[in-house]
Amino acid sequence: MGTDPREMLRRRGLRVTPQRLAVLRTVSDAPHATADVVTETVRSEIGSISIQAVYDALAALTENGLLRRIQPAGSPARYEGRVGDNHHHLICRVCGRMVDVDCAVGDPPCLTAADDFGYEIDEAEVIFWGRCPECTRENGAT
Ligand SMILES: [Zn+2]
Ligand SMILES: [Zn+2]
Ligand SMILES: [Zn+2]
């Protein structure tokens, strides 16, 4: 498996830059990070980088399938390195914590629409909203 980030970039025809490497590493280490969080982490690693440069790197990596972008309604986009398995997400309405939920591995049933209208479907964006256990406990009726 080619998990070497330099190799991953090269194979997609992307130039290997310290910025792209740092962004890729950051998102792999902290899945579902927002661009702001990625910027902070990257700055602490490689020094100054503009938020625009981070956005550019995130866009290039997402367009080339190295990162996945999740856009929850009413909150900033998040990025993750787990791509291609059509997994879904749970988001806490209170604290915003996001976790992965597996689709059925190998045979994602969510990609079979009741009627696909002739579209070739490759992704279903499923987000479950609710309250995480911690927030439920804090506001619970105990
Ligand atoms: Zn919560
Ligand atoms: Zn995820
Ligand atoms: Zn599914």
Side-chain angles (χ1 to χ4, degrees):
M1 287 295 290
T3 44
D4 174 30
R6 288 162 195 280
E7 188 56 40
M8 284 162 71
L9 287 170
R10 276 194 213 106
R11 215 176 303 142
R12 315 270 166 160
L14 288 170
R15 208 152 39 84
V16 179
T17 66
Q19 287 87 349
R20 284 177 179 163
L21 287 174
V23 167
L24 198 54
R25 189 169 351 111
T26 301
V27 175
S28 309
D29 290 351
H32 313 134
T34 61
D36 284 348
V37 171
V38 173
T39 306
E40 262 172 49
T41 311
V42 170
R43 272 186 190 147
S44 70
E45 278 184 19
I46 66 168
S48 74
I49 182 172
S50 69
I51 184 126
Q52 190 55 48
V54 170
Y55 273 109
D56 289 348
L58 286 168
L61 295 168
T62 304
E63 274 162 31
N64 285 278
L66 294 173
L67 295 182
R68 179 172 167 191
R69 182 178 189 273
I70 309 117
Q71 176 66 72
S75 62
R78 321 252 196 133
Y79 297 87
E80 69 184 340
R82 186 179 161 186
V83 296
D85 65 353
N86 196 56
H87 71 272
H88 308 318
H89 294 97
L90 271 165
I91 305 180
C92 175
R93 288 186 195 283
V94 183
C95 68
R97 193 140 59 101
M98 186 189 247
V99 296
D100 288 338
V101 187
D102 284 334
C103 198
V105 178
D107 182 23
C110 300
L111 295 184
T112 312
D115 185 344
D116 63 14
F117 294 95
Y119 282 51
E120 206 174 273
I121 299 172
D122 58 40
E123 183 178 335
E125 208 165 84
V126 180
I127 298 182
F128 302 96
W129 292 87
R131 288 195 295 166
C132 74
E134 266 156 48
C135 291
T136 310
R137 219 176 298 133
E138 268 167 38
N139 303 310
T142 21

